[in-house]
Amino acid sequence: MLAVISLLLTACAAHEASPSYTPGLGEFMSQLSYRHSKLWFAGQAQNWALAAYELDEIEEGLQDIGHYHPEHHEVKAIPEQIKRYMAASIEQTHTAINEKTTSEFIKAYDAITAGCNACHQANGFGFNQLVKPVMNSFANQRF
Ligand code: HEC
């Protein structure tokens, strides 16, 4: 029994030590994009718990981006840019969700979208334009 446990521990340690896969900036952004979409439908459904969750996921995604991709080719100081373009609107969205106010949520959501687009614009990726989603493409999730 002890031998089995120590074997398992060794295997875990070996696993941790092996280099792990880091998604590219485009992959992280794609994940942000579908969370941005889910956030909208959660807010429209006044499912505030889900909206809060998706907003947290967006924040974590942005943190990971800053951590794993502090620079990307010509795009410099990514953590600082995230703060500049996203911090205020994320805060605004937290408030709207906490207060469970749809009209404030819509304003805050528009500010988030504008923040995403402003950063794209500032870095030569203005062709990646986010909008309010027109259709819910998550057919297998209840909002
Ligand atoms: C730091 C500035 C910055 C912020 C803030 C930012 N982006 Fe991006 N985004 C980029 C850059 C740079 C690229 C191009 C990535 C690449 O070259 O792979 C990109 C690409 C994308 C793409 C295209 C991904 C693909 O491969 O098709 C999407 C979608 C996207 N971002 C969504 C978002 C969303 C949603 C937000 C806001 C919640 C956001 N981005 C905020 C800089 C930013």
Side-chain angles (χ1 to χ4, degrees):
M1 184 63 187
L2 263 180
V4 172
I5 291 174
S6 81
L7 202 75
L8 282 173
L9 287 175
T10 316
C12 287
H15 180 73
E16 264 176 24
S18 67
S20 55
Y21 165 74
T22 303
L25 182 58
E27 271 72 53
F28 275 118
M29 287 290 167
S30 298
Q31 290 214 331
L32 270 188
S33 170
Y34 74 67
R35 280 165 179 151
H36 173 265
S37 181
K38 286 185 175 191
L39 174 62
W40 173 251
F41 292 108
Q44 289 310 99
Q46 302 196 311
N47 185 344
W48 302 117
L50 180 61
Y53 169 80
E54 295 301 345
L55 184 60
D56 283 346
E57 291 297 311
I58 288 176
E59 279 193 278
E60 280 176 20
L62 288 167
Q63 268 168 23
D64 286 345
I65 287 169
H67 178 74
Y68 291 107
H69 299 284
E71 303 196 335
H72 182 75
H73 307 300
E74 300 306 305
V75 186
K76 309 292 181 203
I78 290 183
E80 290 76 12
Q81 293 204 67
I82 288 171
K83 202 163 173 220
R84 179 176 333 135
Y85 293 110
M86 304 306 304
S89 60
I90 286 177
E91 214 35 59
Q92 191 183 343
T93 312
H94 273 304
T95 305
I97 290 172
N98 288 340
E99 292 174 356
K100 303 182 170 37
T101 318
T102 301
S103 56
E104 290 306 311
F105 174 84
I106 293 172
K107 280 187 220 156
Y109 188 87
D110 285 343
I112 285 197
T113 307
C116 306
N117 288 332
C119 196
H120 293 165
Q121 198 77 48
N123 292 285
F125 288 91
F127 49 83
N128 280 139
Q129 278 183 46
L130 277 296
V131 295
K132 274 199 197 86
V134 288
M135 188 193 102
N136 188 336
S137 53
F138 301 100
N140 60 346
Q141 186 167 352
R142 180 174 295 137
F143 286 81

